[in-house]
């Protein structure tokens, strides 16, 4: 692993790393914010942030403004890339933004030509946490969050690995990819035509299947001026499932906010405080 960038930020460090990934079969970048407390001897909890379509590991760390409060809370934030990249990694043949590079959808692909490299689920769940534990002073406490496609990834990964995460949150997430155009295109390409294989990556299905056995804190924020709210069926289907199951997830709707990082930057502090409470960093959410 090689450090390729470092910027002093709110008394801590915003750093970027490069490493070869055995899971993805390519070199990967990820970004980490280390708050000032990371210079001490105590291991700190980690918030994983999963970004959306077309993003890299740098979008969130540059645009969201999360470092200020993370520095106060003593929270490490890890932002991986959204897909494998590099020579030999396949991309959408038509250059579409919603498949291939920048659009890994946090699944383990099973279909050619994607299966060799597109295993973002295993990368986030297994390889990246192991790398962090081996190289940094991080505790076993972790939370996960994301936006749009990354919100889908955060919800699916947390719901399938609830014992690994103290909490999960999402901004404008794709919650029912089996029933929306973005999800159907990606899951069909990466997983094939058998829709039973898609269910493992659909937050609505996973919550309905496992909700009775879970105590995972969930928070979702949605802008009401989001151009994709209806066309991609964001947020609302998961809220319907949570109401059906009487699952105590939090859903917050915000007039006039859209799908952009202006929305994320406006509400990121609420998410950091939500996770800090469940990670044991604060007494109150």
């Amino acid at each position: 692993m090689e450090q390729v960038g470092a910027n002093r930020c709110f008394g801590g460090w915003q750093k970027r790393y490069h490493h070869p990934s055995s899971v993805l079969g390519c070199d990967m970048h990820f970004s980490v914010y280390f708050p000032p407390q990371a210079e001490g001897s105590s291991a700190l909890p980690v918030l994983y942030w999963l970004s959306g379509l077309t993003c890299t590991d740098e979008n969130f760390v540059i645009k969201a403004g999360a470092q200020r409060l993370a520095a106060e809370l003593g929270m490490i934030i890890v932002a991986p890339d959204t897909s494998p990249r590099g020579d030999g990694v396949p991309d959408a043949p038509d250059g579409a933004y919603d498949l291939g590079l920048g659009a890994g959808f946090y699944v383990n692909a099973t279909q050619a030509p994607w299966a060799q490299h597109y295993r973002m689920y295993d990368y986030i769940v297994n390889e990246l946490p192991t790398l962090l534990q081996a190289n940094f002073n991080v505790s076993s406490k972790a939370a996960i969050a994301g936006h749009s496609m990354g919100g889908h990834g955060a919800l699916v990964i947390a719901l399938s690995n609830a014992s690994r995460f103290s909490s999960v949150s999402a901004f404008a997430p794709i919650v029912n990819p089996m029933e929306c155009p973005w999800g159907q295109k990606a899951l069909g390409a990466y997983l094939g035509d058998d829709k039973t294989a898609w269910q493992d990556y659909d937050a609505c299905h996973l919550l309905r299947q496992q909700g009775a056995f879970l105590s995972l804190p969930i928070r979702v924020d949605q802008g009401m001026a989001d151009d994709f709210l209806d066309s991609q069926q964001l947020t609302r289907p998961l809220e319907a499932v949570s109401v059906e199951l009487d699952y105590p997830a939090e859903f917050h709707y915000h007039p006039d906010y859209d799908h952009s990082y202006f929305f994320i930057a406006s509400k990121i502090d609420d998410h950091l405080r939500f996770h800090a409470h469940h990670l044991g960093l604060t007494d109150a959410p």
Side-chain angles (χ1 to χ4, degrees), residues 11-206:
W13 287 95
Q14 180 65 60
K15 296 187 177 184
R16 193 173 192 229
Y17 296 90
H18 174 272
H19 77 104
S21 167
S22 59
V23 168
L24 301 177
C26 64
D27 291 341
M28 291 293 286
H29 285 90
F30 66 94
S31 294
V32 184
Y33 178 66
F34 295 100
Q37 298 88 334
E39 297 179 10
S41 60
S42 297
L44 300 182
V46 173
L47 172 65
Y48 292 91
W49 172 270
L50 307 186
S51 290
L53 288 167
T54 75
C55 291
T56 70
D57 59 295
E58 294 189 289
N59 292 77
F60 177 78
V61 301
I62 293 172
K63 295 180 178 181
Q67 293 93 339
R68 179 191 59 79
L69 185 55
E72 295 179 20
L73 295 170
M75 179 188 295
I76 293 172
I77 301 179
V78 175
D81 204 346
T82 53
S83 77
R85 298 182 194 268
D87 295 340
V89 176
D91 193 7
D94 58 356
Y97 74 95
D98 53 357
L99 187 70
L101 301 184
F105 266 82
Y106 305 100
V107 304
N108 286 338
T110 59
Q111 304 298 301
W114 315 103
Q116 181 179 353
H117 297 286
Y118 282 76
R119 302 187 61 81
M120 287 299 295
Y121 181 95
D122 277 353
Y123 178 71
I124 302 298
V125 172
N126 297 314
E127 186 174 29
L128 185 57
T130 299
L131 190 68
L132 296 173
Q133 290 284 346
N135 288 278
F136 308 123
N137 190 20
V138 298
S139 78
S140 59
K141 292 183 178 180
I144 191 166
H147 169 231
S148 193
M149 176 187 72
H152 142 79
L155 289 165
V156 165
I157 287 171
L159 288 168
S160 298
N161 301 273
S163 63
R164 302 269 297 272
F165 299 99
S166 300
S167 49
V168 58
S169 71
F171 287 85
I174 301 168
V175 296
N176 195 192
M178 295 181 69
E179 302 296 337
C180 78
W182 277 341
Q184 291 170 339
K185 179 178 180 177
L187 297 183
Y190 295 142
L191 304 175
D193 295 332
D194 182 3
K195 292 188 176 181
T196 59
W198 299 13
Q199 294 176 353
D200 290 341
Y201 302 104
D202 188 294
C204 286
H205 173 80
L206 292 171

Side-chain angles (χ1 to χ4, degrees), residues 131-283:
L131 190 68
L132 296 173
Q133 290 284 346
N135 288 278
F136 308 123
N137 190 20
V138 298
S139 78
S140 59
K141 292 183 178 180
I144 191 166
H147 169 231
S148 193
M149 176 187 72
H152 142 79
L155 289 165
V156 165
I157 287 171
L159 288 168
S160 298
N161 301 273
S163 63
R164 302 269 297 272
F165 299 99
S166 300
S167 49
V168 58
S169 71
F171 287 85
I174 301 168
V175 296
N176 195 192
M178 295 181 69
E179 302 296 337
C180 78
W182 277 341
Q184 291 170 339
K185 179 178 180 177
L187 297 183
Y190 295 142
L191 304 175
D193 295 332
D194 182 3
K195 292 188 176 181
T196 59
W198 299 13
Q199 294 176 353
D200 290 341
Y201 302 104
D202 188 294
C204 286
H205 173 80
L206 292 171
L207 184 60
R208 183 175 283 112
Q209 181 186 58
Q210 302 178 31
F213 310 102
L214 292 176
S215 58
L216 178 71
I218 299 172
R219 176 183 177 127
V220 178
D221 281 66
Q222 175 66 56
M224 296 304 291
D226 191 324
D227 289 340
F228 306 110
L229 175 59
D230 296 320
S231 62
Q232 302 295 338
Q233 299 186 49
L234 306 180
T235 300
R236 287 171 174 155
L238 187 66
E239 183 182 24
V241 174
S242 70
V243 170
E244 172 191 325
L245 300 177
D246 196 27
Y247 191 89
E250 299 180 28
F251 291 87
H252 303 268
Y253 292 89
H254 306 278
D256 302 325
Y257 284 95
D258 57 22
H259 200 73
S260 72
Y261 264 87
F262 294 108
F263 175 40
I264 297 171
S266 299
K267 303 297 178 183
I268 189 63
D269 283 6
D270 295 336
H271 284 241
L272 295 185
R273 291 190 178 98
F274 169 79
H275 292 297
H277 171 63
H278 294 292
L279 288 167
L281 293 173
T282 62
D283 293 330

